[in-house]
Structures are given as C-alpha cells and as structure tokens.
Amino acid sequence: MTHRSTPARIAFTLVLACTPAWGAGPSAEFVVMGASSDFGTVRAMLCAEGERFPNQCKRAARVPARAEGTRLVFENLMPGRYALSVVHDEDDSGRLGISSISGKPKGIGFSNNVTGPGGVPTFNLAAVQVREGGLQQVVRLRGFAFGR
C-alpha cells in the first residue's frame, strides 16, 4: 500500500509538528557564574513553593562545570514561585565544604543572588516567579566554608 502526500495530509502534519505537547509548561533558565574551574559538577535543586528548600526539592540537575558559565534549564514547570540552590562541586565529593582540588571553599548560590544567616536564605528571599513566558536569571556563586 502506498501513501500519497495530499495537500490536506501535509497541512495536518505541519499543524501537528508546530503544536506544543499537551501539558508542556514554561521553563526556568539559570546561568551559573563564578565556578572556580571547569573541574567537577554544578549541582542544583529547584524547589517549588511548599517543598523543603534548599535541599529537598523534586527537581534536580547535575551538569559539568564551566568556568565561563554553566547553563541549567528546568522545563515543563507549572507557573508559580520557585527557589534555586546551586553548588559547584569541584571535587565531585557530593558534600559542601573545602574542595580537595583547589583547597578553597566550594561556591554556592541561590536564585535572586541572596544569602541569609549562615549563608542560606529562606525560600521567600530566594523565590522567583515563573510565568507562562518562562524565566531567565544569572546566579553568582560565592565561596562559603561549610563544614570547616
């Protein structure tokens, strides 16, 4: 059996190709600046309102560190308030503290580039609004010596 490409079939195929998937939501893009090297991993957690910020979030990402900037994208979000926590795990130990590679404190950061008592902000300080059009934000890492 052969199929013919009629104008109606082509038009229907184009409509399907250009229609977003059901349930696709906005994305949040963060560019993480201030990694001390290209070694290791940038680990991030994105908490929705009501989750336990900063480290018990349903959304997480791990990407290779890039000193010139590391891009993190969280897709298909529901519009609402979210807060990001991020660490440059230079030695890939999975812990905060001093990097065994550079001997410096590992860089950590939060959405809105805020800190709180002891370095960690509340959800409300770090919260950003993700709208239908999405969100883009630069997050700068700072060296905190947790676990010294």
Side-chain angles (χ1 to χ4, degrees):
M1 181 171 160
T2 61
H3 294 287
R4 294 185 193 165
S5 294
T6 65
R9 184 182 302 249
I10 293 170
F12 181 70
T13 303
L14 288 173
V15 168
L16 285 179
C18 296
T19 303
W22 290 108
S27 63
E29 177 182 345
F30 298 92
V31 177
V32 179
M33 303 298 294
S36 58
S37 70
D38 286 342
F39 292 110
T41 304
V42 169
R43 299 172 189 261
M45 301 207 72
L46 185 68
C47 280
E49 194 161 19
E51 294 178 353
R52 294 191 55 175
F53 181 75
N55 56 9
Q56 292 182 7
C57 311
K58 293 180 183 174
R59 293 160 198 84
R62 288 181 56 179
V63 296
R66 306 294 300 164
E68 70 273 5
T70 305
R71 185 173 172 261
L72 301 168
V73 180
F74 295 88
E75 297 179 325
N76 297 320
L77 300 173
M78 294 293 295
R81 288 174 15 115
Y82 295 85
L84 178 85
S85 61
V86 62
V87 63
H88 175 206
D89 191 1
E90 187 178 38
D91 58 7
D92 278 328
S93 69
R95 296 181 305 219
L96 296 175
I98 305 299
S99 167
S100 62
I101 292 176
S102 67
K104 297 178 184 176
K106 293 181 180 179
I108 66 169
F110 303 95
S111 45
N112 288 332
N113 293 301
V114 295
T115 58
V120 180
T122 64
F123 176 87
N124 285 333
L125 282 175
V128 294
Q129 187 71 38
V130 175
R131 292 181 166 74
E132 285 296 330
L135 169 80
Q136 292 181 324
Q137 188 176 82
V138 172
V139 175
R140 301 198 188 291
L141 298 176
R142 297 179 174 107
F144 288 98
F146 293 109
R148 261 196 171 173

